[in-house]
Amino acid sequence: MSTLDPRDVDLGKDLDLRKDLDATVRARRELGEDYDSALMDSFLEKVGQRIDDTVDRRVRRLLAERQMATARESRRPKPADSWTERYGFALLTLVLAIPLSSIAGALAGFSGMVVTWIGIVGVNAVQAVRQNPELFAGRRAPDRSAGDD
């Protein structure tokens, strides 16, 4: 199984490498065994450079993909991390509910208090859904048509 990425294959460079190998073999035949070491070193240097170029391309591609993934992650809203972020708003609305209930009860009676508490519950529900969008998402009932024969 090959892990070669099709984007890494450059037929022009592969043909050049093949031509270099053929030239090295012909030069060895013509020059004799005295130049084997120099010819092989030259050819292996070209092969090493080809490998380095391929690795560099792969590393750059992987780094770019990770940077894109990091950029996408940073766009997502962060979940509430601290206790204050999670419950601070609810506590604040409950503290403010005391004077609001007193004012509504004094001015409009019981119906004013009901409207005030409906507003307090509504504001807290909106805040809870904003922090956790899946909170009120409908859950699908299990499919009972399959396997109950």
Side-chain angles (χ1 to χ4, degrees):
M1 177 186 282
S2 173
T3 59
L4 186 64
D5 190 334
R7 293 173 286 193
D8 289 333
V9 175
D10 186 355
L11 294 177
K13 286 188 179 182
D14 286 344
L15 290 175
D16 289 342
L17 199 57
R18 180 171 292 283
K19 288 178 185 177
D20 285 340
L21 176 61
D22 291 339
T24 301
V25 170
R26 277 191 304 244
R28 183 191 179 276
R29 287 182 189 152
E30 291 175 10
L31 297 174
E33 293 181 11
D34 296 338
Y35 293 95
D36 275 355
S37 178
L39 290 171
M40 292 309 289
D41 287 344
S42 172
F43 180 72
L44 290 176
E45 187 175 320
K46 291 175 185 175
V47 170
Q49 184 61 42
R50 175 77 169 117
I51 291 170
D52 288 344
D53 291 344
T54 301
V55 169
D56 286 345
R57 267 195 314 276
R58 287 181 182 176
V59 167
R60 276 183 272 152
R61 186 179 320 115
L62 286 173
L63 286 174
E65 288 171 0
R66 285 187 181 163
Q67 287 174 346
M68 290 296 291
T70 301
R72 287 184 188 122
E73 278 293 319
S74 67
R75 289 187 204 158
R76 292 184 183 158
K78 303 282 187 211
D81 293 328
S82 70
W83 187 88
T84 306
E85 290 178 41
R86 291 182 185 185
Y87 301 108
F89 186 79
L91 289 175
L92 178 67
T93 57
L94 289 176
V95 168
L96 291 176
I98 296 169
L100 289 174
S101 296
S102 298
I103 294 169
L107 295 177
F110 182 74
S111 62
M113 285 180 62
V114 169
V115 169
T116 300
W117 277 96
I118 288 173
I120 292 168
V121 169
V123 166
N124 280 293
V126 168
Q127 178 68 11
V129 169
R130 189 181 71 79
Q131 286 183 347
N132 188 7
E134 304 90 27
L135 189 63
F136 289 126
R139 294 185 181 167
R140 294 189 319 184
D143 186 15
R144 298 197 181 262
S145 63
D148 283 347
D149 294 310

